[in-house]
Amino acid sequence: MLYLALAVAGLIPGAATVWLVRRRHGWITAVLAGAAVVVALPVTTVSALAVLLVYFPMLAVALSLAAVAAALHDYDSGRVWVATGWAAAAVALLSLAGWRAL
């Protein structure tokens, strides 16, 4: 049910774009514009998160510490690939912090 809610929430901006653009430019242009909005939504969300973590480095450090704790737990549990992903996330978060907060 949560996946359905997330899918609907991700498609609403695209549907709104199609609805607003179709009157002036036709259905083909409206559908292409709506698809572009839906595809660009994750990119803009990740970009906004990266900017947030650059401007608030203590948040990035706190999230990296949580990622390190998750990585250590997964290494102890034997899930090496998941733990390596958490470790990579911790390194990425610390690089966004720029080591200024340490």
Side-chain angles (χ1 to χ4, degrees), residues 34-70:
V37 168
V38 169
V39 170
L41 193 60
V43 174
T44 56
T45 304
V46 170
S47 300
L49 180 64
V51 168
L52 177 74
L53 293 175
V54 166
Y55 284 114
F56 296 106
M58 288 306 291
L59 178 62
V61 170
L63 289 174
S64 70
L65 290 176
V68 166

Short mmCIF file of all heavy atoms in Angstrom, two decimals, residues 34-70:
data_model
loop_
_atom_site.label_atom_id
_atom_site.label_comp_id
_atom_site.label_asym_id
_atom_site.label_seq_id
_atom_site.Cartn_x
_atom_site.Cartn_y
_atom_site.Cartn_z
N GLY A 34 4.99 15.92 -19.28
CA GLY A 34 4.66 15.20 -18.05
C GLY A 34 5.65 14.09 -17.75
O GLY A 34 6.04 13.89 -16.60
N ALA A 35 6.08 13.39 -18.79
CA ALA A 35 7.09 12.34 -18.58
C ALA A 35 8.41 12.95 -18.13
O ALA A 35 9.11 12.38 -17.28
CB ALA A 35 7.28 11.55 -19.87
N ALA A 36 8.77 14.10 -18.69
CA ALA A 36 10.01 14.77 -18.28
C ALA A 36 9.94 15.19 -16.82
O ALA A 36 10.93 15.08 -16.08
CB ALA A 36 10.27 15.98 -19.17
N VAL A 37 8.78 15.65 -16.38
CA VAL A 37 8.63 16.04 -14.97
C VAL A 37 8.77 14.83 -14.06
O VAL A 37 9.44 14.88 -13.03
CB VAL A 37 7.28 16.75 -14.75
CG1 VAL A 37 6.95 16.89 -13.29
CG2 VAL A 37 7.30 18.11 -15.41
N VAL A 38 8.15 13.72 -14.43
CA VAL A 38 8.23 12.51 -13.61
C VAL A 38 9.66 11.97 -13.55
O VAL A 38 10.13 11.55 -12.50
CB VAL A 38 7.24 11.44 -14.13
CG1 VAL A 38 7.47 10.10 -13.46
CG2 VAL A 38 5.82 11.90 -13.90
N VAL A 39 10.36 12.02 -14.66
CA VAL A 39 11.74 11.52 -14.69
C VAL A 39 12.68 12.46 -13.93
O VAL A 39 13.62 12.00 -13.26
CB VAL A 39 12.20 11.34 -16.16
CG1 VAL A 39 13.68 11.07 -16.25
CG2 VAL A 39 11.43 10.20 -16.80
N ALA A 40 12.43 13.76 -13.99
CA ALA A 40 13.32 14.72 -13.35
C ALA A 40 13.10 14.82 -11.84
O ALA A 40 13.96 15.32 -11.12
CB ALA A 40 13.13 16.09 -13.97
N LEU A 41 11.98 14.33 -11.35
CA LEU A 41 11.66 14.46 -9.93
C LEU A 41 12.69 13.79 -9.02
O LEU A 41 13.15 14.42 -8.06
CB LEU A 41 10.26 13.92 -9.67
CG LEU A 41 9.63 14.25 -8.33
CD1 LEU A 41 9.52 15.76 -8.17
CD2 LEU A 41 8.26 13.62 -8.23
N PRO A 42 13.13 12.55 -9.25
CA PRO A 42 14.16 11.97 -8.37
C PRO A 42 15.49 12.71 -8.45
O PRO A 42 16.19 12.85 -7.44
CB PRO A 42 14.31 10.54 -8.88
CG PRO A 42 13.08 10.26 -9.64
CD PRO A 42 12.62 11.56 -10.19
N VAL A 43 15.83 13.19 -9.63
CA VAL A 43 17.10 13.90 -9.79
C VAL A 43 17.10 15.19 -8.97
O VAL A 43 18.06 15.51 -8.28
CB VAL A 43 17.38 14.19 -11.28
CG1 VAL A 43 18.61 15.05 -11.45
CG2 VAL A 43 17.51 12.89 -12.04
N THR A 44 16.00 15.93 -9.04
CA THR A 44 15.93 17.18 -8.29
C THR A 44 15.86 16.92 -6.79
O THR A 44 16.40 17.68 -6.00
CB THR A 44 14.73 18.02 -8.73
OG1 THR A 44 13.53 17.24 -8.60
CG2 THR A 44 14.88 18.48 -10.16
N THR A 45 15.23 15.82 -6.39
CA THR A 45 15.17 15.49 -4.97
C THR A 45 16.55 15.14 -4.44
O THR A 45 16.94 15.61 -3.36
CB THR A 45 14.21 14.31 -4.75
OG1 THR A 45 12.94 14.65 -5.30
CG2 THR A 45 14.06 13.98 -3.29
N VAL A 46 17.30 14.35 -5.17
CA VAL A 46 18.65 13.99 -4.74
C VAL A 46 19.56 15.22 -4.74
O VAL A 46 20.37 15.40 -3.83
CB VAL A 46 19.22 12.86 -5.64
CG1 VAL A 46 20.69 12.64 -5.39
CG2 VAL A 46 18.44 11.59 -5.41
N SER A 47 19.39 16.08 -5.73
CA SER A 47 20.20 17.30 -5.77
C SER A 47 19.89 18.20 -4.59
O SER A 47 20.79 18.78 -3.99
CB SER A 47 19.94 18.06 -7.07
OG SER A 47 20.27 17.27 -8.17
N ALA A 48 18.61 18.33 -4.25
CA ALA A 48 18.24 19.15 -3.10
C ALA A 48 18.79 18.57 -1.81
O ALA A 48 19.25 19.31 -0.92
CB ALA A 48 16.72 19.28 -3.03
N LEU A 49 18.78 17.25 -1.68
CA LEU A 49 19.35 16.61 -0.50
C LEU A 49 20.85 16.84 -0.42
O LEU A 49 21.39 17.11 0.66
CB LEU A 49 19.04 15.11 -0.50
CG LEU A 49 19.58 14.32 0.68
CD1 LEU A 49 18.94 14.79 1.97
CD2 LEU A 49 19.32 12.85 0.47
N ALA A 50 21.54 16.77 -1.55
CA ALA A 50 22.98 17.00 -1.56
C ALA A 50 23.30 18.44 -1.16
O ALA A 50 24.23 18.68 -0.38
CB ALA A 50 23.55 16.69 -2.94
N VAL A 51 22.53 19.39 -1.66
CA VAL A 51 22.75 20.79 -1.28
C VAL A 51 22.48 20.99 0.20
O VAL A 51 23.22 21.70 0.90
CB VAL A 51 21.87 21.72 -2.14
CG1 VAL A 51 21.84 23.13 -1.59
CG2 VAL A 51 22.35 21.72 -3.57
N LEU A 52 21.44 20.35 0.72
CA LEU A 52 21.13 20.44 2.14
C LEU A 52 22.28 19.91 2.99
O LEU A 52 22.66 20.52 4.00
CB LEU A 52 19.85 19.66 2.44
CG LEU A 52 19.42 19.60 3.90
CD1 LEU A 52 18.86 20.95 4.33
CD2 LEU A 52 18.40 18.51 4.10
N LEU A 53 22.85 18.79 2.57
CA LEU A 53 23.94 18.20 3.34
C LEU A 53 25.23 19.01 3.23
O LEU A 53 26.04 19.00 4.14
CB LEU A 53 24.17 16.76 2.90
CG LEU A 53 23.02 15.80 3.24
CD1 LEU A 53 23.29 14.44 2.64
CD2 LEU A 53 22.79 15.73 4.72
N VAL A 54 25.43 19.72 2.12
CA VAL A 54 26.61 20.57 1.99
C VAL A 54 26.49 21.79 2.89
O VAL A 54 27.46 22.19 3.54
CB VAL A 54 26.81 20.98 0.51
CG1 VAL A 54 27.82 22.11 0.39
CG2 VAL A 54 27.27 19.78 -0.30
N TYR A 55 25.31 22.37 2.97
CA TYR A 55 25.13 23.57 3.79
C TYR A 55 24.94 23.28 5.26
O TYR A 55 25.08 24.18 6.09
CB TYR A 55 23.97 24.40 3.26
CG TYR A 55 24.34 25.16 2.01
CD1 TYR A 55 23.74 24.87 0.80
CD2 TYR A 55 25.31 26.13 2.04
CE1 TYR A 55 24.09 25.54 -0.35
CE2 TYR A 55 25.68 26.82 0.90
CZ TYR A 55 25.06 26.52 -0.29
OH TYR A 55 25.43 27.19 -1.41
N PHE A 56 24.58 22.06 5.61
CA PHE A 56 24.46 21.66 7.01
C PHE A 56 25.34 20.44 7.23
O PHE A 56 24.87 19.30 7.29
CB PHE A 56 23.00 21.34 7.37
CG PHE A 56 22.10 22.52 7.26
CD1 PHE A 56 21.22 22.62 6.20
CD2 PHE A 56 22.14 23.53 8.21
CE1 PHE A 56 20.38 23.71 6.09
CE2 PHE A 56 21.31 24.62 8.11
CZ PHE A 56 20.42 24.72 7.04
N PRO A 57 26.65 20.65 7.37
CA PRO A 57 27.57 19.51 7.44
C PRO A 57 27.38 18.64 8.67
O PRO A 57 27.66 17.45 8.63
CB PRO A 57 28.95 20.16 7.42
CG PRO A 57 28.74 21.57 7.78
CD PRO A 57 27.36 21.93 7.39
N MET A 58 26.87 19.18 9.76
CA MET A 58 26.65 18.34 10.94
C MET A 58 25.57 17.29 10.69
O MET A 58 25.62 16.19 11.23
CB MET A 58 26.29 19.20 12.15
CG MET A 58 27.46 19.99 12.70
SD MET A 58 28.88 18.97 13.09
CE MET A 58 28.29 18.06 14.47
N LEU A 59 24.59 17.63 9.85
CA LEU A 59 23.58 16.65 9.47
C LEU A 59 24.21 15.52 8.66
O LEU A 59 23.91 14.34 8.87
CB LEU A 59 22.47 17.33 8.67
CG LEU A 59 21.35 16.43 8.15
CD1 LEU A 59 20.60 15.78 9.30
CD2 LEU A 59 20.41 17.23 7.27
N ALA A 60 25.11 15.87 7.77
CA ALA A 60 25.81 14.85 6.97
C ALA A 60 26.67 13.96 7.87
O ALA A 60 26.73 12.75 7.67
CB ALA A 60 26.66 15.51 5.89
N VAL A 61 27.32 14.56 8.85
CA VAL A 61 28.15 13.77 9.77
C VAL A 61 27.28 12.83 10.60
O VAL A 61 27.61 11.66 10.79
CB VAL A 61 29.00 14.69 10.66
CG1 VAL A 61 29.67 13.91 11.77
CG2 VAL A 61 30.03 15.43 9.83
N ALA A 62 26.14 13.34 11.07
CA ALA A 62 25.24 12.49 11.86
C ALA A 62 24.70 11.33 11.02
O ALA A 62 24.65 10.18 11.49
CB ALA A 62 24.09 13.34 12.41
N LEU A 63 24.32 11.61 9.79
CA LEU A 63 23.84 10.54 8.92
C LEU A 63 24.95 9.55 8.57
O LEU A 63 24.71 8.35 8.44
CB LEU A 63 23.24 11.13 7.64
CG LEU A 63 21.90 11.84 7.80
CD1 LEU A 63 21.49 12.50 6.50
CD2 LEU A 63 20.84 10.90 8.29
N SER A 64 26.19 10.04 8.43
CA SER A 64 27.29 9.13 8.15
C SER A 64 27.59 8.23 9.35
O SER A 64 27.93 7.06 9.18
CB SER A 64 28.54 9.90 7.73
OG SER A 64 29.07 10.61 8.82
N LEU A 65 27.45 8.77 10.55
CA LEU A 65 27.64 7.93 11.74
C LEU A 65 26.57 6.84 11.81
O LEU A 65 26.86 5.70 12.17
CB LEU A 65 27.63 8.78 13.00
CG LEU A 65 28.84 9.70 13.19
CD1 LEU A 65 28.66 10.56 14.42
CD2 LEU A 65 30.11 8.88 13.28
N ALA A 66 25.35 7.19 11.45
CA ALA A 66 24.29 6.18 11.40
C ALA A 66 24.58 5.14 10.32
O ALA A 66 24.34 3.94 10.53
CB ALA A 66 22.94 6.85 11.15
N ALA A 67 25.12 5.57 9.19
CA ALA A 67 25.47 4.62 8.13
C ALA A 67 26.61 3.71 8.55
O ALA A 67 26.62 2.52 8.22
CB ALA A 67 25.83 5.38 6.86
N VAL A 68 27.57 4.25 9.29
CA VAL A 68 28.68 3.43 9.79
C VAL A 68 28.15 2.39 10.78
O VAL A 68 28.56 1.22 10.76
CB VAL A 68 29.78 4.31 10.43
CG1 VAL A 68 30.74 3.49 11.26
CG2 VAL A 68 30.52 5.08 9.37
N ALA A 69 27.24 2.81 11.66
CA ALA A 69 26.66 1.85 12.61
C ALA A 69 25.89 0.75 11.89
O ALA A 69 25.99 -0.43 12.25
CB ALA A 69 25.74 2.60 13.59
N ALA A 70 25.15 1.11 10.86
CA ALA A 70 24.42 0.11 10.08
C ALA A 70 25.39 -0.82 9.35
O ALA A 70 25.15 -2.03 9.25
CB ALA A 70 23.48 0.79 9.09
#
